Amino acid sequence: MQFLIAWLEKYFLPLAGKIGGQKHLVALRDAFIGTIPATMAGSVAVMINALIRDLPPQFFDGYDGNSIPVIREIIAVNGYVWSGTLAIAGLIFVFSWGYNLAKAYGVDQLSGGIVSTAASIAGITFSFSGGISGLKLDATTVDAINAAGWSATADSITAGGWGWLPLNNLDANLFFTAMIIGFVATMIYVKLMLKDITIKLPDSVPPAISKAFASIIPATAALYVVGIFYFVFSKIVPDMTFLQWLQKTVAQPLLGLSQGFGAVILVALFVQLFWFFGIHGPNVLAPILEGVFGVAQLENVNLFQQGGADLVISKGYMWVRGSFDAYAWYGGSGGTIVLILALLLFSKRKDYRTVANLSIGPGIFNINEPILFGLPIVLNPMMFIPFLLAPVVSVSIGYWATMWGLVNPVSQQVTWVTPPFLLSFLATGADWRAPIVTLVAMLVSFAIWIPFVISANKLDPDLGPDKSE
């Protein structure tokens, strides 16, 4: 065990430190964090609608929240909140992404966010078209449709329009395009700013005006580079926007890959491995957790808003960012709430029991730094195996329970400080089976921890061999 830890310290820890400090990945992590106020507000709206609109029909025949006074109005208000948050989550993210990239390089953040947003929006289609055939229209109807601006014949209608921004181009579908186009445009802006290729105004000009004028040349150059790229791409791939092409060729396969059991287990394992060395695993892996699994979760949230759990099951993703929280990270990364319970029941070490008593309160709300660094779990060889193994087993239980249809997929974004059981219940759109799956995962995890907690008694210098038995 000591050899393994020494090897990891020598080869794995330096790599983890470099990843955790890489400025672009830090900016990406902070960009996702920056969207939390909006995404959580939208998630609250969807969750309330789930409780007052979607859940009651499962228990009361004929229930229709849209026909009940007050309930109907609350549902409508929540719809507005959703429209301004989760429905345009990609648009919110792309500004945050440019803002944090510019911040990482010490240039004007506001302009960075604007450049990133403008560059990403520039590639979105502003028009729509569609048609219906196999109709039987009389001459009067055909003339009326043609006079209205659409095209009609005796057996078909073709409709089109310009000036539309489709929501499916502004929600989670925009994330991958934003990560690429927003990054390229903002980095062009950043590099030109750092080279001081700017318009310089006298010192007497107010700082806000000076900053705006200084950004004109870098921002214009960045947006023209992106505009030329979009133009060339439209000639090469005339039937798709870059967003549509990227979604089809990169985003969907990547999201599909994230649904594999191996990918889920690998992410869970590396989160624990980083934490064992005192490095915040979810932060280091935020580009994957938020950029892949988080995008899948936002898609599920939007699908639930449109058609409830059935639509999520048929068209959504089975394992998303919140699934880790619901079935493995109860009490914090590693599912440490069960370790705390094991310590209180089976540990004879005064130091361990003291830390457990101090950690139980924060642990209920998924804050586990007291147990991680107070016990400690970090760099503690006795805790290495269960700290890695228990979450992997818990993830496996939650994964297969979801895949086999024993529980609904996570379709709500619930704040991470929500206590276990309640978190999984709310995250699955109020599926009563979810807390049961969480309980099963916790019991198995608890059984994994017990032998190591008992063995740790023998390492207590205050206990002799007889007392530790």
Side-chain angles (χ1 to χ4, degrees):
M1 180 63 71
Q2 291 290 350
F3 171 79
L4 176 61
I5 292 177
W7 184 88
L8 290 170
E9 284 180 340
K10 183 177 180 180
Y11 296 103
F12 178 78
L13 197 56
L15 176 63
K18 289 181 180 179
I19 294 174
Q22 212 285 327
K23 66 168 63 178
H24 302 106
L25 294 180
V26 170
L28 182 60
R29 179 202 68 197
D30 291 346
F32 280 110
I33 293 173
T35 67
I36 285 178
T39 56
M40 287 308 302
S43 298
V44 168
V46 174
M47 191 186 311
I48 292 173
N49 277 358
L51 293 173
I52 65 176
R53 182 192 64 191
D54 305 311
L55 179 62
Q58 300 180 32
F59 302 97
F60 306 103
D61 292 336
Y63 178 92
D64 181 11
N66 290 308
S67 64
I68 302 174
V70 180
I71 298 293
R72 176 181 58 219
E73 282 69 33
I74 293 174
I75 291 173
V77 170
N78 287 332
Y80 285 115
V81 174
W82 173 82
S83 297
T85 53
L86 294 178
I88 57 166
L91 187 61
I92 296 169
F93 166 78
V94 71
F95 178 84
S96 181
W97 178 214
Y99 182 98
N100 282 284
L101 272 174
K103 181 180 179 181
Y105 282 89
V107 300
D108 185 47
Q109 299 100 305
L110 180 60
S111 295
I114 292 172
V115 167
S116 178
T117 304
S120 299
I121 290 293
I124 292 177
T125 178
F126 281 71
S127 61
F128 77 92
S129 63
I132 304 174
S133 59
L135 304 175
K136 293 182 180 180
L137 304 176
D138 57 51
T140 303
T141 303
V142 170
D143 291 341
I145 293 173
N146 288 327
W150 291 357
S151 176
T153 64
D155 60 359
S156 66
I157 300 175
T158 301
W162 189 89
W164 300 75
L165 276 174
L167 284 181
N168 62 3
N169 283 189
L170 301 177
D171 59 10
N173 290 326
L174 183 61
F175 275 63
F176 288 98
T177 304
M179 288 181 203
I180 297 173
I181 294 296
F183 175 80
V184 171
T186 306
M187 288 307 299
I188 293 172
Y189 158 78
V190 163
K191 294 300 182 181
L192 293 177
M193 287 290 291
L194 293 176
K195 289 182 180 294
D196 204 24
I197 303 176
T198 62
I199 297 175
K200 299 172 179 64
L201 298 180
D203 293 339
S204 58
V205 175
I209 298 176
S210 295
K211 284 184 177 181
F213 271 81
S215 299
I216 289 176
I217 293 176
T220 302
L223 293 175
Y224 262 93
V225 169
V226 172
I228 292 170
F229 166 76
Y230 283 140
F231 175 78
V232 173
F233 184 86
S234 69
K235 299 302 179 182
I236 299 173
V237 188
D239 298 329
M240 285 186 178
T241 64
F242 180 65
L243 184 151
Q244 292 167 338
W245 177 84
L246 195 66
Q247 189 70 16
K248 181 178 180 180
T249 59
V250 178
Q252 289 179 358
L254 186 60
L255 286 168
L257 183 64
S258 73
Q259 300 302 290
F261 180 65
V264 171
I265 291 300
L266 199 60
V267 169
L269 185 63
F270 270 95
V271 166
Q272 299 310 120
L273 201 54
F274 281 122
W275 264 126
F276 183 77
F277 289 97
I279 300 171
H280 199 295
N283 280 357
V284 174
L285 294 178
I288 297 174
L289 283 170
E290 307 298 339
V292 179
F293 292 100
V295 170
Q297 177 158 330
L298 288 176
E299 181 66 19
N300 278 10
V301 173
N302 288 332
L303 287 172
F304 190 94
Q305 169 69 10
Q306 298 164 20
D310 291 339
L311 187 60
V312 175
I313 293 170
S314 62
K315 293 187 177 181
Y317 296 94
M318 302 302 285
W319 191 268
V320 298
R321 173 62 181 85
S323 303
F324 291 100
D325 295 324
Y327 303 121
W329 295 346
Y330 30 77
S333 295
T336 48
I337 191 73
V338 294
L339 169 60
I340 294 172
L341 295 175
L343 291 171
L344 293 175
L345 292 174
F346 296 101
S347 180
K348 296 181 180 180
R349 294 184 55 162
K350 184 178 180 180
D351 55 341
Y352 276 17
R353 293 181 64 84
T354 299
V355 171
N357 279 307
L358 294 173
S359 302
I360 188 68
I364 291 173
F365 297 97
N366 304 316
I367 300 169
N368 65 346
E369 277 77 4
I371 193 77
L372 284 173
F373 298 102
L375 196 63
I377 295 174
V378 172
L379 293 175
N380 186 339
M382 178 59 69
M383 301 297 171
F384 179 74
I385 292 177
F387 188 62
L388 265 65
L389 180 61
V392 168
V393 173
S394 295
V395 164
S396 301
I397 292 171
Y399 178 89
W400 291 115
T402 305
M403 291 296 176
W404 291 339
L406 302 178
V407 65
N408 289 340
V410 168
S411 59
Q412 310 296 317
Q413 191 157 318
V414 183
T415 180
W416 62 276
V417 293
T418 305
F421 302 122
L422 179 60
L423 189 152
S424 57
F425 176 74
L426 295 175
T428 52
D431 187 345
W432 61 270
R433 299 169 297 179
I436 297 176
V437 175
T438 301
L439 177 61
V440 171
M442 291 178 71
L443 290 174
V444 174
S445 181
F446 183 71
I448 292 172
W449 275 108
I450 288 174
F452 294 90
V453 170
I454 294 174
S455 296
N457 290 333
K458 301 177 181 180
L459 301 179
D460 185 1
D462 295 330
L463 293 174
D466 295 335
K467 294 181 181 179
S468 64
E469 295 297 332

